[in-house]
Amino acid sequence: MTHMLPISFSLNGQTVSMEVAAHTLLIDLVRGRLGLKGTKRSCDMEVCGACTMLLDGDPISSCTTLAVDVDQREVTTIEGVTPPDGLSRVQKAFVLHGGLQCGFCTPGFIMAVTALLKANPHPTDDEIRHYLHGNLCRCTGYVKIFEAVKSLAIEHVSEDAA
Amino acid sequence: MSNPTDSMSSVRPDLIEKVTGRAEYITDLVVPGMLHGFVVRSPVVHARIVSIDTTAARLIEGVVDVLVGADVASFGRWGVVLKDRPIIAIDRVRYVGEPVAVVIAETVEIAENAAELVDVEYEELPRATTIREALADGAPLIHERHENLEDFYFKGGARPTQNSNVFHTYRSSVGDVDAAEAIAAHVHEDSFTFPAISHFAMEPHTVIADFQGDALTIWAGAQTPTAVQKVLSRLFGLQLAKIRVVVPFVGGGFGGKASVKIEPLVAAASWKVRRPVRVAQSISDSMLTCRRLGAEITIRTAVDAKGRILAKTAKLLLDGGAYSDTGSAVATKSANRIMGPYVMPNLRLEASAVYTNTVPGAAFRSIGGPQAVWAKESHMDNVAAAIGMDPVEFRLINMAGRGERTRPDLRPLDMDMSELVGRVTQSPVFETQGSNRRARGLAVAATDPANTPIANAIVRLKIDGSVSVSVSSIEVGQGAHATMARVAAQTLQQRFSAVTTLRTDTDIAPYDWGTGASRSTVVVGLSVESAALDAADQIFDMVADVWELPKDSLTLVEGGVSTGSEVLTFHQIFHRALGVDSGEVVGRGGITPRSKKGALAESPLFWETSAGLAEIVVDEDTGQIHVPRYASAADVGRVINRVAAEGQDEGAAAMGFGHALFEELEFDDGQPVNATPIDYTIPRITDVPPVFDTILVENGDGPGPGGAKGMGEGAILPVAPAIANALFSTYGIRITDLPMTPEKVWRALQKRK
């Protein structure tokens, strides 16, 4: 018999309490039993960033995180950063700047950039590139992803100035 | 640089779905009753299968069945150009990674665990793992015979050499090369190699198949759904109308999901268990499914005393891997694409595709293009250096102008390459501080997309003014669905937001060749335009009939038809014409080689062209190449969506940086060395030039809607030779084998010293 463990965590602000097998991965729990499919599975080896979720606000690869390790913690997925109507400012910037094509890596990028701007609202060009170094995209060539993130950094600065 | 002036109402609807995570990809679909398959792959390079024992795997609770070759041997083989492929290995494996069994279970975990218990005994066979080994005297035959399928997928077919590993040879000859070389002032020859490269779409190949008696439904990330339909129809003896192929959003393709890949395998699994089966590959699995063809290329140019090209000769050998897929077409295109936009009065081209015991080769962004252009544009600078001429000047004096043919059987060039060269050399990115004029390299490309002018579209205009568009084009990120909606909206004079492009589904969408070869905007776009005009004509007929007005006085306006004196809403028109407050008109449009009085028949439909200028800095202690500035120009005829069009070229160029600097799917005596996402890497955000200029030249002179040409494949081509030419002119070293890794560059620098 698979050993089941009780866990309780916050998923996008809602408390989830359930029993999971010790080896269950966070991505499988969220995409499978919890039915939130916005998070995408790609490399399965923690190198591409497509499955990025936030754990207590920090980006993690959900493909290599055990579900039991999120016990008593806060998990945020792409569904959790999407407003009920419309888009977050990060999502809107990606759309307007064309920072995505096939979109498979996009939820991971949105999560990473959301975390970046929360930790550092005014990232420099180098800080943007360094922070997004762990998110792979095969379509865009990153030019428009960079422009999208850059636009947010600048926008925020001018808001501060005003 | 993008200027996002578009309001949210005119952005691509697919982008909204994707940024919110709501977009549905194949891995997000659940079909009721679906089982999960896990593929057991060959660990050996070339072997006879002695036995497969699935007993232990079948005993695991939750395992439903195990598919092996013996189950499906009677269905025979399949292919799209050569019929060389079994559904699953039957008595022999030809490469590491070849599927030998599919364990079908209630969950993926169970299937994966049980797969370890499938016991396969192999007896190794002599192998041929490189082009050289495959062509050697006495080389083991990877396929005993070659069966060509003429006109099956592409017009024409393969020209295999029986009793050899050569599955296709293409030759083209113009004039008398020998005579030209005899009188030439200078003849220069070079040899280059190009490695296998992984497509590395972020979404690996995944297929769900549901076999129900004489009907089959396939959900797949397939770029060419009608090819999948056709191959499955032939293989399983099903009528085309009984096979439905549904393609949700596709997470990257780049050719790696074109033609047919794992669909027959998954269909067979479902056939065996009579339930829906899903096989979701990992990226590692997909790296063992297909890859770009490696190449060995020899190229020779003869010039007169003034530096004018008298003759060009090229011999290209392409490593097609264990199964041919579309490798024959890749070879043919590599020969055409090695010509470039130059005047060459005498020409001798030969390209062969060769089987090897490695992962099957397949189409990949600009088939045969990066291989050919790597060789030809590196060679151009070598020739220029050999005759003491500036490489840009050498290109310019040999360039074919607009309207000139580079070869008698190909459409005249429909653009000015010198304009593209001018645009990249004058790019403002090279005016920025710290830019070094001497550390730059140029390369250009002119390629002939195989954009088969066969497509259909259905445009339905409904009573409320909303419009639906049905096409077989898939949405793989390029924005095809939004482009088709835009074409319909413009033709019908309705708002973009009123138009919906339906999800790709062969039960609904009419026949189209497929999504690839830069063809959708032009070929499918023209079909949509024609379908929208047909819908408009039907509406005009209703108005003319009911209101007794001359048809030529009618024009479409938003929400209805203007008679010149008043606007009739679509509601009024349908209501009056049909007697009830409902209805729609169904417009049908199609493109064939006979359309437009045959104007679309000549190949290529348009030339896909690009120029690239790279500026480099090399760390001489490590050999690491940095590209601080890059300018990329393409002649696209007319831009339909600027942000999307720029994104296509930027993405292609970034892929080119990977090809140029580090990407290589390596094999050691046939064993894949780095076929995992940990060992094989694609460019990261830190690997693309921080200063990048994307130039799109628009003269409205393309054959597509509004004068558009196809695009998205050209910008990958100049990158590697532009960097290599910068390395040659600045550091005096010539790298001839890609990728230009730090080690190769460092060794070349040491040797130079």
Side-chain angles (χ1 to χ4, degrees):
Chain A
M1 269 303 283
T2 310
H3 188 48
M4 301 295 280
L5 297 165
I7 58 167
S8 181
F9 65 104
S10 157
L11 177 64
N12 300 326
Q14 306 250 313
T15 303
V16 176
S17 299
M18 61 200 313
E19 292 208 327
V20 297
H23 63 264
T24 300
L25 294 167
L26 180 57
I27 190 170
D28 290 328
L29 179 66
V30 171
R31 281 184 51 91
R33 277 168 72 187
L34 298 173
L36 299 185
K37 300 201 169 190
T39 304
K40 296 290 170 262
R41 161 181 256 129
S42 182
C43 76
D44 238 357
M45 295 180 181
E46 204 177 341
V47 296
C48 80
C51 68
T52 302
M53 295 181 188
L54 305 185
L55 184 59
D56 296 337
D58 293 327
I60 51 140
S61 292
S62 61
C63 73
T64 47
T65 300
L66 291 171
V68 291
D69 284 341
V70 306
D71 187 33
Q72 305 303 321
R73 301 177 75 178
E74 282 182 22
V75 174
T76 311
T77 67
I78 186 70
E79 290 85 359
V81 299
T82 304
D85 295 310
L87 305 176
S88 73
R89 61 190 285 263
V90 176
Q91 290 168 325
K92 196 169 176 181
F94 269 68
V95 169
L96 289 177
H97 286 266
L100 68 151
Q101 290 177 25
C102 86
F104 208 72
C105 70
T106 308
F109 267 99
I110 298 292
M111 299 313 287
V113 173
T114 301
L116 164 66
L117 295 177
K118 190 156 190 209
N120 179 3
H122 319 301
T124 64
D125 291 3
D126 282 348
E127 283 169 345
I128 293 170
R129 291 198 176 89
H130 178 75
Y131 201 88
L132 296 179
H133 179 258
N135 287 77
L136 293 178
C137 170
R138 189 57 150 168
C139 295
T140 61
Y142 305 102
V143 177
K144 304 227 180 294
I145 290 176
F146 179 82
E147 286 174 12
V149 183
K150 180 79 180 167
S151 78
L152 293 169
I154 291 168
E155 177 188 280
H156 215 122
V157 169
S158 58
E159 274 172 15
D160 286 355
Chain B
M1 306 289 148
S2 67
N3 181 20
T5 49
D6 281 359
S7 70
M8 290 301 282
S9 65
S10 65
V11 300
R12 286 165 47 181
D14 65 301
L15 300 187
I16 308 275
E17 291 190 59
K18 289 166 179 174
V19 287
T20 54
R22 288 194 287 262
E24 214 168 46
Y25 299 81
I26 172 74
T27 43
D28 302 326
L29 301 183
V30 174
V31 174
M34 177 171 91
L35 297 170
H36 299 265
F38 189 88
V39 180
V40 178
R41 296 176 185 278
S42 167
V44 296
V45 176
H46 194 196
R48 191 172 72 79
I49 297 173
V50 178
S51 63
I52 303 179
D53 185 353
T54 60
T55 319
R58 284 169 195 276
L59 289 175
I60 301 290
E61 192 184 334
V63 171
V64 176
D65 211 332
V66 181
L67 177 79
V68 295
D71 297 323
V72 290
S74 62
F75 290 121
R77 292 173 301 163
W78 64 275
V80 292
V81 184
L82 287 150
K83 202 170 169 182
D84 62 1
R85 189 147 201 179
I87 292 173
I88 186 166
I90 295 167
D91 51 357
R92 184 169 162 189
V93 289
R94 296 178 169 88
Y95 71 97
V96 172
E98 181 159 3
V100 291
V102 182
V103 178
I104 305 155
E106 298 292 342
T107 70
V108 185
E109 283 170 323
I110 295 169
E112 185 169 357
N113 289 332
E116 288 177 27
L117 302 174
V118 174
D119 190 15
V120 187
E121 191 187 332
Y122 298 98
E123 181 185 290
E124 297 223 30
L125 297 168
R127 61 187 67 168
T129 66
T130 62
I131 293 171
R132 198 149 303 197
E133 287 172 14
L135 294 179
D137 285 341
L141 290 182
I142 295 168
H143 295 269
E144 272 64 35
R145 60 192 176 86
H146 305 300
E147 188 181 342
N148 181 33
L149 297 166
E150 194 76 2
D151 294 337
F152 185 88
Y153 182 63
F154 299 113
K155 188 177 172 186
R159 297 292 172 265
T161 306
Q162 295 297 340
N163 299 310
S164 87
N165 288 316
V166 178
F167 64 84
H168 177 64
T169 298
Y170 168 80
R171 291 187 183 88
S172 174
S173 183
V174 177
D176 186 340
V177 168
D178 295 334
E181 288 187 353
I183 59 157
H186 195 90
V187 180
H188 190 85
E189 182 175 293
D190 288 310
S191 292
F192 297 89
T193 67
F194 189 102
I197 291 179
S198 184
H199 297 83
F200 211 110
M202 296 301 290
E203 173 202 56
H205 299 88
T206 296
V207 171
I208 303 171
D210 187 10
F211 224 114
Q212 298 276 357
D214 65 349
L216 173 60
T217 305
I218 295 280
W219 294 263
Q223 289 179 242
T224 48
T226 55
V228 169
Q229 195 183 36
K230 182 175 180 180
V231 163
L232 294 174
S233 160
R234 300 282 175 100
L235 198 47
F236 294 104
L238 303 176
Q239 292 174 343
L240 286 169
K242 295 280 192 187
I243 300 176
R244 177 184 181 199
V245 182
V246 182
V247 184
F249 285 123
V250 181
F254 317 112
K257 294 172 184 167
S259 72
V260 178
K261 294 294 180 286
I262 64 168
E263 292 85 358
L265 181 70
V266 188
S270 174
W271 167 81
K272 181 147 194 214
V273 297
R274 297 174 188 281
R275 281 176 65 179
V277 175
R278 170 196 201 244
V279 172
Q281 295 200 151
S282 67
I283 286 198
S284 301
D285 288 326
S286 284
M287 294 177 90
L288 298 174
T289 300
C290 59
R291 45 91 176 173
R292 197 191 278 281
L293 284 79
E296 291 180 10
I297 299 168
T298 299
I299 179 168
R300 190 166 73 235
T301 299
V303 294
D304 70 13
K306 290 179 178 163
R308 282 184 306 230
I309 296 174
L310 297 176
K312 190 182 248 186
T313 309
K315 183 166 183 178
L316 303 100
L317 297 170
L318 288 111
D319 174 358
Y323 295 100
S324 59
D325 198 321
T326 50
S328 51
V330 175
T332 296
K333 287 296 178 189
S334 73
N336 290 350
R337 292 170 178 190
I338 207 164
M339 295 189 299
Y342 305 116
V343 177
M344 298 152 292
N346 301 285
L347 198 56
R348 188 193 294 141
L349 306 170
E350 181 183 307
S352 295
V354 180
Y355 285 124
T356 62
N357 291 118
T358 60
V359 173
F364 193 157
R365 202 172 208 157
S366 186
I367 60 170
Q371 297 94 326
V373 176
W374 159 241
K376 111 179 144 62
E377 287 296 286
S378 296
H379 173 69
M380 283 298 282
D381 273 36
N382 280 0
V383 178
I387 61 174
M389 191 178 272
D390 174 77
V392 177
E393 179 63 19
F394 178 55
R395 282 183 178 79
L396 290 175
I397 66 164
N398 284 293
M399 232 159 235
R402 178 188 286 270
E404 256 185 286
R405 288 180 195 268
T406 54
R407 210 174 69 191
D409 59 328
L410 295 173
R411 187 183 291 269
L413 281 190
D414 55 1
M415 50 77 66
D416 300 297
M417 185 54 81
S418 56
E419 184 185 358
L420 293 195
V421 171
R423 293 291 294 272
V424 292
T425 50
Q426 287 154 27
S427 165
V429 303
F430 299 108
E431 304 297 324
T432 50
Q433 204 184 359
S435 183
N436 178 4
R437 171 171 294 276
R438 284 167 311 187
R440 294 180 199 155
L442 173 78
V444 300
T447 61
D448 56 326
N451 31 35
T452 316
I454 307 169
N456 291 283
I458 295 169
V459 171
R460 293 152 69 182
L461 174 65
K462 294 163 195 295
I463 189 167
D464 62 355
S466 66
V467 177
S468 75
V469 177
S470 300
V471 289
S472 290
S473 299
I474 63 146
E475 182 49 65
V476 66
Q478 83 284 40
H481 282 193
T483 294
M484 299 314 150
R486 225 174 275 272
V487 170
Q490 279 167 6
T491 311
L492 292 171
Q493 296 294 311
Q494 305 303 306
R495 280 172 190 265
F496 175 61
S497 58
V499 185
T500 303
T501 302
L502 304 179
R503 181 170 78 162
T504 312
D505 181 339
T506 58
D507 266 6
I508 298 162
Y511 178 84
D512 169 47
W513 180 84
T515 304
S518 303
R519 65 187 287 283
S520 298
T521 296
V522 173
V523 182
V524 185
L526 286 175
S527 304
V528 170
E529 190 176 66
S530 137
L533 290 172
D534 184 34
D537 196 53
Q538 294 177 46
I539 283 284
F540 291 154
D541 276 340
M542 280 183 178
V543 174
D545 188 29
V546 175
W547 276 266
E548 294 179 356
L549 289 167
K551 227 168 121 180
D552 57 11
S553 67
L554 306 175
T555 51
L556 283 163
V557 293
E558 192 182 318
V561 172
S562 166
T563 63
S565 54
E566 62 174 329
V567 170
L568 303 168
T569 66
F570 292 125
H571 257 119
Q572 288 174 302
I573 297 167
F574 280 104
H575 200 165
R576 275 279 293 276
L578 304 178
V580 288
D581 185 17
S582 328
E584 68 177 17
V585 288
V586 182
R588 185 246 161 203
I591 287 297
T592 77
R594 296 169 187 278
S595 302
K596 300 189 185 276
K597 295 178 182 158
L600 307 177
E602 190 177 24
S603 180
L605 194 45
F606 56 86
W607 284 91
E608 185 152 11
T609 52
S610 56
L613 188 66
E615 183 174 313
I616 65 164
V617 176
V618 174
D619 180 337
E620 296 198 44
D621 291 332
T622 64
Q624 180 91 40
I625 300 172
H626 299 277
V627 186
R629 289 172 187 79
Y630 189 84
S632 173
D635 184 326
V636 300
R638 180 70 73 212
V639 170
I640 292 179
N641 176 337
R642 181 159 302 278
V643 173
E646 287 180 355
Q648 279 295 307
D649 264 18
E650 288 157 4
M655 209 172 244
F657 287 104
H659 284 36
L661 300 177
F662 47 81
E663 285 189 53
E664 174 177 17
L665 187 63
E666 293 176 70
F667 298 93
D668 180 2
D669 197 20
Q671 276 291 342
V673 172
N674 59 346
T676 78
I678 287 183
D679 301 303
Y680 185 103
T681 191
I682 61 169
R684 295 177 179 276
I685 195 168
T686 42
D687 293 318
V688 297
V691 181
F692 193 103
D693 189 13
T694 315
I695 301 157
L696 301 176
V697 172
E698 292 181 83
N699 292 311
D701 52 357
K709 298 174 186 173
M711 55 98 53
E713 300 192 283
I716 193 172
L717 302 169
V719 179
I723 292 171
N725 289 339
L727 204 53
F728 181 59
S729 66
T730 316
Y731 296 89
I733 57 171
R734 172 57 70 188
I735 304 289
T736 57
D737 53 334
L738 283 184
M740 292 177 274
T741 59
E743 183 182 341
K744 279 182 205 166
V745 172
W746 183 84
R747 285 186 190 283
L749 288 168
Q750 296 307 305
K751 206 171 153 191
R752 181 202 63 180
K753 284 171 185 164

